């Protein structure tokens, strides 16, 4: 939880780096700052963005221990409330629209209409993915997969009612669960492809806008199939075939090839893809993880939230320069939520 906030604040840099389309430019500016070791992440230059505020809403909602309908109502309530803390945090247009349509407390008030523009074509869809790692921390066990599917899809489509959006939430929740129980990232993508038909079964059985969801369903899985095939990971066994992509410009070009509308990491399908690519290629090196998963052209706070959070599940804080987490905005809330989720999931601290 804390490192997901670190990835957000670093990738955001008060809006300066989130909206920078050039990885090489970001790396020039990073060098001028003295590198990662010289940075202290704290406001006003380094606040957390909408990603962390909404991730906290998910985490603190799950940490109540509620289940079923009451949990979905609680999450809807917290997403609406979170929009009151967005000054200087640049929330996405789909999150703003979605939360304006929620009616928490009313019967099924956590549902909004299908949103055909929430594809990445015409609207950012990463907003559901960036707030979902905590779902995997709450439901890490294999036998909890049906709950993880339901909660990630329903919480995701509270604002992003389009498969390209809410399947991003499913992907990140699943990666969180797999990471929490020690599965290596080489397996995560193949597991996602295995889970997608189960996710469809859930969407169909829930009976909400089934036809519209069906018509838009295939893009996400097709994109992931292509990516995993390119890395030799369709079967989920390593070693992955990773291109070196040693320069920021090379990485920007590859990430652009996965993106919609020329904005890498802005969509539900490619933000978790950039994050997984960074995890696979960085080999446990924090600086390399940041270079690949946070400090690139595009929606770098969202990919950073996901990549750094997943990295933390494996590596913890030990090799992270202390200036990054020490003064992070909302660090205490992130840590407390993580402890409560861990207690609920594993029954101990
Ligand atoms: Mg953001």
């Amino acid at each position: 939880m804390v490192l997901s906030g670190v990835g957000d604040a670093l990738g955001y840099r008060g809006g300066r780096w989130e909206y920078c389309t050039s990885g090489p430019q970001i790396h020039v500016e990073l060098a001028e700052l003295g590198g990662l070791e010289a940075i202290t992440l704290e406001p006003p230059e380094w606040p957390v963005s909408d990603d962390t505020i909404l991730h906290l809403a998910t985490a603190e909602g799950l940490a109540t221990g509620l289940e079923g309908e009451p949990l979905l109502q609680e999450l809807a309530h917290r997403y609406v409330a979170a929009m009151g803390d967005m000054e200087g945090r640049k929330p996405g247009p789909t999150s703003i629209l979605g939360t304006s349509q929620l009616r928490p407390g009313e019967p099924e008030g956590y549902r909004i209409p299908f949103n055909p523009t929430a594809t990445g074509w015409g609207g950012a869809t990463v907003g559901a993915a960036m707030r979902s790692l905590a779902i995997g921390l709450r439901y890490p066990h294999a036998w909890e997969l049906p709950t993880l599917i339901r909660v990630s899809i329903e919480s995701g489509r509270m604002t992003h009612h389009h498969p390209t959006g809410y399947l991003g939430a499913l992907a990140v929740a699943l990666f969180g669960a797999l990471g929490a129980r020690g599965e290596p990232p080489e397996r995560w993508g193949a597991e996602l492809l295995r889970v997608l038909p189960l996710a469809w079964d859930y969407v169909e059985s829930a009976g909400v806008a089934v036809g519209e969801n069906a018509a838009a369903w295939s893009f996400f899985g097709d994109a992931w199939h292509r990516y995993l095939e390119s890395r030799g990971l369709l079967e989920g066994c390593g070693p992955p075939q990773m291109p070196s992509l040693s320069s920021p410009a090379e990485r920007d070009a590859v990430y652009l090839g996965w993106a919609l509308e020329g904005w890498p990491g802005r969509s539900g399908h490619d933000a978790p893809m950039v994050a997984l690519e960074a995890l696979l290629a960085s080999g446990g090196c924090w600086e390399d993880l940041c270079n690949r998963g946070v400090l690139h052209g595009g929606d770098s706070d969202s990919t950073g939230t996901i990549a750094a959070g997943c990295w933390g599940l494996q590596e913890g804080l030990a090799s992270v320069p202390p200036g990054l987490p020490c003064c992070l905005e909302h660090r205490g809330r992130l840590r407390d939520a993580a402890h409560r989720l861990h207690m609920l999931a594993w029954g101990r601290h």
Side-chain angles (χ1 to χ4, degrees):
M1 289 297 299
V2 171
L3 279 185
S4 71
V6 164
D8 175 29
L10 185 63
Y12 185 50
R13 199 184 176 189
R16 183 183 177 96
W17 284 353
E18 177 184 9
Y19 294 98
C20 179
T21 56
S22 165
Q25 174 65 27
I26 288 171
H27 281 269
V28 166
E29 295 183 19
L30 177 67
E32 288 167 1
L33 291 166
L36 291 172
E37 304 272 348
I39 294 173
T40 301
L41 294 177
E42 61 183 331
E45 187 180 1
W46 303 95
V48 297
S49 84
D50 61 327
D51 300 58
T52 296
I53 300 303
L54 287 164
H55 192 204
L56 272 169
T58 305
E60 292 176 342
L62 290 164
T64 60
L66 290 168
E67 301 275 2
E69 287 284 303
L71 173 62
L72 299 181
Q73 291 283 2
E74 179 73 18
L75 291 172
H77 167 75
R78 286 175 183 269
Y79 292 146
V80 172
M83 299 311 283
D85 183 14
M86 288 299 172
E87 186 68 35
R89 305 194 196 276
K90 300 266 176 36
T94 312
S95 296
I96 294 170
L97 173 66
T99 49
S100 77
Q101 295 172 316
L102 290 170
R103 298 288 179 267
E106 295 181 12
E108 302 226 324
Y110 54 83
R111 295 202 185 283
I112 66 167
F114 188 82
N115 180 356
T117 69
T119 58
W121 303 103
T125 60
V126 70
M130 72 198 193
R131 62 175 193 242
S132 293
L133 189 68
I135 299 170
L137 307 187
R138 172 68 184 87
Y139 305 113
H141 306 291
W143 67 83
E144 295 173 302
L145 181 62
T147 308
L148 180 141
I149 289 172
R150 180 172 54 79
V151 173
S152 61
I153 289 176
E154 293 300 354
S155 68
R157 66 179 176 178
M158 286 179 194
T159 51
H160 293 69
H161 195 168
H162 188 288
T164 307
Y166 64 71
L167 290 177
L170 170 67
V172 175
L174 183 66
F175 293 174
L178 294 167
R181 60 178 197 252
E183 296 282 353
E186 286 80 3
R187 293 200 196 134
W188 297 2
E191 184 66 6
L192 176 60
L193 290 187
R194 185 186 76 79
V195 166
L196 284 178
L198 306 176
W200 173 252
D201 290 346
Y202 172 75
V203 169
E204 195 172 34
S205 71
V208 178
V210 174
E212 289 161 301
N213 278 289
W217 187 262
S218 61
F219 171 80
F220 185 95
D222 291 347
W224 269 91
H225 193 281
R226 279 195 302 276
Y227 168 70
L228 293 169
E229 192 167 43
S230 75
R231 298 299 181 255
L233 287 173
L234 273 177
E235 305 305 319
C237 38
Q241 295 151 18
M242 306 301 294
S244 68
L245 305 181
S246 51
S247 74
E250 287 175 283
R251 295 192 287 271
D252 278 1
V254 167
Y255 298 172
L256 204 52
W258 303 335
L260 295 172
E261 291 196 329
W263 200 339
R266 197 187 182 213
S267 177
H269 77 287
D270 71 335
M273 203 175 276
V274 170
L276 182 59
E277 171 84 1
L279 287 167
L280 291 167
S282 61
C285 170
W286 167 254
E287 185 180 355
D288 202 26
L289 185 280
C290 290
N291 288 341
R292 293 171 184 275
V294 191
L295 303 165
H296 60 84
D299 206 330
S300 45
D301 59 344
S302 299
T303 57
T305 298
I306 300 165
C310 287
W311 194 88
L313 294 173
Q314 301 182 293
E315 309 285 345
L317 284 160
S319 58
V320 176
L324 297 179
C326 72
C327 305
L328 182 73
E329 190 181 15
H330 292 317
R331 179 186 170 148
R333 282 176 66 191
L334 290 160
R335 183 199 53 217
D336 292 349
H339 284 160
R340 292 201 299 278
L341 292 173
H342 195 268
M343 192 72 146
L344 285 166
W346 301 92
R348 62 183 191 277
H349 274 290

